[in-house]
Amino acid sequence: MKNKSNITRREFIAGFSAFAASLPWISLIGTGESSAQNPSDRVRLGIIGTGSRGRVLMLHLQQIPNCEITAICDNYPPNLYEGKRITSGKAWQTGDYRRLLELDHLDGVIIATPLHLHAQMTVDALQSGKHVFCEKSMALTYEDCKKMVHVHRESGKNLQIGFQRLFDLRYIDAVERVKRGDIGPITMIRAYWHRNNDWRRPLPRPELERKINWRLYREYSGGLMTELGAHQIQVANWLLESHPLTVTGVGSINYWNDGREVFDNVSTIFSYPGDVQCIYDSVTSNRFYGLEEQIMGPKGTLELEHGKIYSENPPPAPGILQLINNIENSVFDTIPIGGASWVPETALEYEGNYLINKRHIPDSTLLEMEAFVNSIRNQSQIEGIVEQAYYASVAVLVANESMQERKIVHWSEDLNI
Amino acid sequence: MGDVYFNNFWAMGTRCDVVLPGIKNSTADYLYSKIYDEIVRLENKLSHFMPVSDVSYINENASDQEILIDDELFDLIEKCLEFSEKTDGRFDISILPLLELWQSDQQNEIRKNPEQREIDYALEKSGYRHILLNEHKSSIAFDHPGVKIDLGGIGKGVALEKVDELLSQYDVQNAFISFGESSIMVKGNHPCGESWRVGIQHVYQPGVSIHTFELKDMSLSTSGMRSLQGSNEIEQRFHIIDPCTGHMVRDQKTISVTSSSAVEAEALSTALMTSDIDNARRILQQFPECHAIEIRYGQDKKAGISIFQ
């Protein structure tokens, strides 16, 4: 397992720019290696919520040297059983997270539970002296989001929320390119996440409907905006270096009218400073367009999920490039044209360029786990990471408010932290 | 260090490279925007790919009724018909039905075997003599259903001539404008030379020029086998039809023609693709100022050059 992590580290550094290194959460990657052998640097974690997402995080954690999952918790026995299997039965287990928080030996906890539980669990964990990694989005209400930040700051314990695009090298490269002006100032963002399924999990017994399919009920879930949109609005905030000033949206149930309470389609406009709009939509009845964030400026376009950049001006043909170089260097010579890079007269599709041309980009979820573990070793909060999470999490709640109230909602000063 | 302005954009199915040496950047930027606007205007008017272009309107309606067209388009189509006459029909803007038969709709891939009866049927709808111009009314009509015109073989030449005029208006002495390296127009000379030296590259040997043209206030058009961007293999896309037989020209060759008229260079390089050397020389007698070469590739990928004129 250790070797795997080392390979990742090497690969990561190879594609690492000075800009990436300047991001506080990225600078932590790999720093745990020197202490990886030292028993006193061992990080012991408890997992609260060993459902599908929790188990993905566990598998990543098991690749990180000198990090141990010593306790797991889930109040749904099949999940707890699966979690136990992953730890080969070694982890202590419970169905009550409060009992897990009583374990003094735990350095931190991972919370991967339904959204409405995030705030209370995070607050309790921080107050019990544990560092917390909580899955996105932060919480179901403004108050809960704010409370999580407040208690985190008061407790002096680390808090990290699972916005893994912050750790994705392609996204980091895109942010750097935007800052450098490669596409000019951002004038528009269009983002979407389209699926074609009912978003339901199979039920062993009908009475488990609300527990298993919690995403579909407003008591537990913010629907598409909190479960999917939060990731992409985090990216918009990051690129535009602000939270939205207003959000307006319309949501409805127009296909999966099966008793669910959350919208099965949402269409929203997030307005940012400088009169820049981010148009966001998500549907569950068509998957043709899939998932994308399109970042547009006068000089180019980024497609972040595909990891591509499209210049409004294509690169010069090699012959033309040679001509330009010759003129710049006062050389008068024949320029060969029409060679192997000749663009045909027939219509050509310009396919853009990859942001990072690497065969293997380290998994961003693995990196966010590694950063969390290393922040525990360092005993210091990663600068800026909670703020990124908070403003994205709150922005999607503003969108939900707009859709539920059918009105434009202005960002209230009270929401700032 | 010589100053040189460079910019480019996608238009007419390829990229247009604009190289303006020795001009202040702000001035060059302005000229570039003028060039861009003019080419986009022409493309929107002349391209049969554009659903709202004049040409699309003609293709949809001119079999049923006379269509009034403006002087610019009338003069251009008239000139195309003249080229058809002078090249024994080897340059022909009416071969779109044939081209559409040979190219699948989506990918521009060559269909394997159009049947002869399909070719015959498309041939009936092709032929410049189906195009009737009325100078008095400035109108166009087709005398057969299904006739369509395609100015793709000459559109870049038209664009280059317009750019030439535009640059002259702004007193630009030296410039190098290229559409996908196959349609080039130069003004004046390279800042360090008496001309612009353009080499026709060996298709299988990147960087090796088989023939060099010394161009001054001149256009150069190359037709024939193409290789695709970003591909190490020479992946050919045939796109030239012999208007007489209705068959795709599959010769391993390129034709390059220079002329002071970019439109003429375009028309001739297309027409000479389906000519043998005797026909070519006979056609070229009517264009004494033009130079034309053929580069032919053998099975061994070796190039042989014939200077037609």
Side-chain angles (χ1 to χ4, degrees):
Chain A
M1 286 301 177
K2 212 174 73 186
N3 283 341
K4 216 167 176 180
S5 176
N6 287 340
I7 289 164
T8 303
R9 163 76 179 146
R10 254 202 324 274
E11 285 173 350
F12 185 74
I13 289 171
F16 201 87
S17 70
F19 172 75
S22 75
L23 298 173
W25 50 95
I26 296 300
S27 62
L28 275 182
I29 306 298
T31 57
E33 275 177 14
S34 57
S35 53
Q37 307 304 324
N38 190 343
S40 66
D41 286 323
R42 173 159 303 166
V43 171
R44 294 176 182 83
L45 297 176
I47 314 295
I48 301 174
T50 54
S52 59
R53 183 63 186 169
R55 295 200 295 273
V56 168
L57 299 180
M58 288 170 73
L59 292 171
H60 283 302
L61 285 167
Q62 287 180 331
Q63 296 182 37
I64 296 171
N66 219 359
C67 165
E68 199 179 343
I69 297 166
T70 57
I72 60 172
C73 167
D74 203 298
N75 64 5
Y76 183 54
N79 282 350
L80 191 61
Y81 174 78
E82 289 297 325
K84 190 180 168 189
R85 263 189 4 156
I86 288 178
T87 63
S88 310
K90 286 183 195 155
W92 179 86
Q93 51 176 312
T94 174
D96 180 352
Y97 80 94
R98 288 184 181 83
R99 288 195 56 210
L100 182 142
L101 295 179
E102 287 166 4
L103 300 175
D104 286 336
H105 77 270
L106 289 181
D107 299 299
V109 295
I110 307 286
I111 298 172
T113 57
L115 182 65
H116 70 299
L117 299 171
H118 286 180
Q120 192 59 52
M121 288 175 166
T122 297
V123 165
D124 289 345
L126 291 167
Q127 287 177 340
S128 73
K130 310 288 190 282
H131 300 290
V132 174
F133 176 96
C134 178
E135 259 306 335
K136 75 95 213 22
S137 185
M138 270 181 114
L140 190 53
T141 67
Y142 301 132
E143 296 73 29
D144 276 352
C145 290
K146 221 167 174 176
K147 191 172 175 191
M148 287 166 79
V149 176
H150 178 72
V151 172
H152 143 65
R153 287 177 177 172
E154 208 172 45
S155 69
K157 292 295 167 185
N158 299 348
L159 177 60
Q160 186 177 329
I161 310 292
F163 285 98
Q164 71 267 21
R165 281 169 182 69
L166 288 164
F167 293 85
D168 189 315
L169 285 187
R170 294 167 308 170
Y171 283 76
I172 291 167
D173 189 47
V175 170
E176 183 175 8
R177 285 172 190 259
V178 167
K179 282 183 188 295
R180 203 165 62 199
D182 285 8
I183 64 165
I186 295 173
T187 48
M188 166 75 116
I189 294 179
R190 221 160 52 175
Y192 51 85
W193 196 322
H194 293 186
R195 290 172 165 176
N196 192 352
N197 64 51
D198 64 5
W199 217 12
R200 287 182 169 278
R201 301 269 164 99
L203 295 179
R205 296 189 306 279
E207 61 268 28
L208 289 172
E209 162 68 8
R210 290 174 80 88
K211 185 173 178 63
I212 303 289
N213 286 318
W214 60 271
R215 288 177 185 81
L216 305 181
Y217 299 96
R218 288 191 182 179
E219 190 182 344
Y220 323 115
S221 159
L224 294 168
M225 287 312 307
T226 56
E227 296 309 306
L228 304 179
H231 278 304
Q232 295 166 294
I233 297 305
Q234 183 269 313
V235 172
N237 286 353
W238 191 12
L239 287 164
L240 293 168
E241 299 181 328
S242 172
H243 59 72
L245 302 179
T246 66
V247 185
T248 180
V250 181
S252 73
I253 299 172
N254 65 13
Y255 187 73
W256 298 110
N257 207 343
D258 57 2
R260 73 184 55 198
E261 294 167 1
V262 300
F263 301 131
D264 68 3
N265 72 97
V266 296
S267 304
T268 59
I269 304 173
F270 292 73
S271 299
Y272 285 85
D275 287 326
V276 176
Q277 320 301 329
C278 167
I279 298 183
Y280 182 79
D281 53 72
S282 183
V283 302
T284 48
S285 53
N286 180 293
R287 66 176 182 209
F288 184 72
Y289 292 105
L291 164 67
E292 193 53 89
E293 300 95 42
Q294 303 165 334
I295 318 298
M296 290 167 254
K299 290 161 75 177
T301 306
L302 293 159
E303 281 186 350
L304 298 182
E305 297 288 343
H306 284 90
K308 290 187 108 173
I309 183 165
Y310 303 83
S311 175
E312 292 282 301
N313 300 105
I320 306 297
L321 196 60
Q322 190 175 336
L323 175 66
I324 295 160
N325 289 338
N326 282 353
I327 295 174
E328 283 177 343
N329 297 308
S330 303
V331 172
F332 179 54
D333 199 1
T334 299
I335 55 142
I337 59 155
S341 57
W342 204 347
V343 179
E345 277 179 4
T346 45
L348 176 95
E349 218 171 300
Y350 170 49
E351 289 174 344
N353 298 100
Y354 283 100
L355 288 171
I356 291 186
N357 201 4
K358 286 186 66 178
R359 204 174 293 168
H360 184 70
I361 296 172
D363 188 287
S364 54
T365 303
L366 173 62
L367 297 181
E368 73 173 348
M369 289 291 98
E370 189 176 341
F372 177 62
V373 168
N374 286 340
S375 78
I376 292 175
R377 287 205 180 99
N378 292 357
Q379 294 287 324
S380 75
Q381 170 68 16
I382 301 170
E383 190 192 324
I385 201 161
V386 159
E387 289 74 12
Q388 283 281 350
Y390 173 83
Y391 284 106
S393 300
V394 170
V396 295
L397 295 180
V398 175
N400 274 350
E401 184 185 341
S402 170
M403 288 190 283
Q404 280 151 18
E405 307 286 325
R406 293 236 164 186
K407 65 175 190 190
I408 298 177
V409 179
H410 291 259
W411 185 277
S412 153
E413 287 293 310
D414 303 344
L415 294 176
N416 291 343
I417 50 166
Chain B
M1 290 281 283
D3 282 341
V4 58
Y5 174 90
F6 167 74
N7 212 334
N8 66 359
F9 57 97
W10 299 103
M12 297 188 168
T14 183
R15 61 182 151 200
C16 178
D17 290 305
V18 175
V19 181
L20 301 172
I23 297 177
K24 246 190 2 210
N25 252 359
S26 54
T27 313
D29 253 331
Y30 176 75
L31 290 169
Y32 172 78
S33 70
K34 291 291 228 183
I35 291 169
Y36 176 88
D37 290 347
E38 177 62 9
I39 289 173
V40 169
R41 179 189 75 82
L42 283 169
E43 186 174 20
N44 287 333
K45 182 173 181 171
L46 304 182
S47 171
H48 73 271
F49 291 114
M50 304 269 178
V52 294
S53 71
D54 291 12
V55 166
S56 293
Y57 187 78
I58 291 170
N59 285 345
E60 280 161 33
N61 298 293
S63 293
D64 304 325
Q65 54 182 296
E66 272 185 293
I67 307 295
L68 301 182
I69 53 178
D70 68 10
D71 290 351
E72 183 181 48
L73 193 51
F74 187 93
D75 292 348
L76 176 60
I77 295 172
E78 192 176 41
K79 196 183 257 182
C80 289
L81 299 184
E82 276 174 37
F83 281 124
S84 296
E85 290 287 347
K86 288 182 176 175
T87 60
D88 306 329
R90 289 188 169 84
F91 173 81
D92 192 331
I93 57 172
S94 72
I95 56 159
L96 192 53
L98 283 165
L99 201 61
E100 286 175 345
L101 176 66
W102 282 89
Q103 295 182 336
S104 72
D105 289 340
Q106 291 177 344
Q107 298 286 325
N108 281 343
E109 282 169 4
I110 308 305
R111 289 173 30 150
K112 291 235 166 82
N113 290 311
E115 291 177 25
Q116 188 57 43
R117 63 178 173 82
E118 291 178 292
I119 294 171
D120 291 342
Y121 182 63
L123 270 171
E124 282 175 24
K125 295 184 281 183
S126 302
Y128 68 98
R129 292 199 170 87
H130 290 308
I131 303 168
L132 309 175
L133 290 179
N134 184 325
E135 191 168 5
H136 179 64
K137 290 195 211 165
S138 188
S139 70
I140 182 170
F142 302 145
D143 71 355
H144 194 279
V147 176
K148 291 178 181 176
I149 59 172
D150 169 14
L151 300 176
I154 211 162
K156 295 177 189 71
V158 176
L160 288 174
E161 290 192 2
K162 295 283 182 186
V163 171
D164 189 9
E165 279 172 35
L166 193 100
L167 292 174
S168 297
Q169 279 168 26
Y170 287 91
D171 209 21
V172 174
Q173 310 290 329
N174 304 315
F176 186 103
I177 317 289
S178 160
F179 276 104
E181 299 190 345
S182 62
S183 305
I184 290 170
M185 187 274 293
V186 305
K187 285 181 77 62
N189 47 268
H190 187 289
C192 308
E194 295 295 307
S195 66
W196 295 89
R197 277 188 189 147
V198 179
I200 305 299
Q201 184 166 258
H202 195 301
V203 171
Y204 298 102
Q205 294 173 31
V208 175
S209 291
I210 296 169
H211 182 84
T212 297
F213 289 102
E214 302 265 351
L215 304 177
K216 190 174 171 107
D217 295 320
M218 193 63 68
S219 290
L220 168 65
S221 169
T222 301
S223 293
M225 57 197 291
R226 299 272 184 274
S227 49
L228 292 183
Q229 184 185 30
S231 163
N232 292 325
E233 294 298 311
I234 306 299
E235 187 185 338
Q236 291 179 43
R237 285 188 181 184
F238 300 101
H239 61 287
I240 292 174
I241 304 269
D242 185 329
C244 306
T245 64
H247 283 263
M248 193 63 77
V249 178
R250 292 177 184 277
D251 294 358
Q252 304 280 311
K253 67 175 182 181
T254 62
I255 301 280
S256 299
V257 178
T258 67
S259 166
S260 56
S261 155
V263 171
E264 196 169 277
E266 294 285 299
L268 287 175
S269 68
T270 304
L272 298 183
M273 276 300 290
T274 54
S275 308
D276 60 27
I277 190 155
D278 294 333
N279 283 330
R281 288 192 167 142
R282 209 179 59 242
I283 290 168
L284 285 165
Q285 278 173 6
Q286 304 166 83
F287 305 93
E289 307 294 322
C290 292
H291 294 282
I293 64 160
E294 176 191 85
I295 295 167
R296 194 174 273 278
Y297 297 88
Q299 294 284 350
D300 55 1
K301 297 185 177 176
K302 281 191 178 149
I305 180 168
S306 307
I307 297 180
F308 286 169
Q309 176 169 298

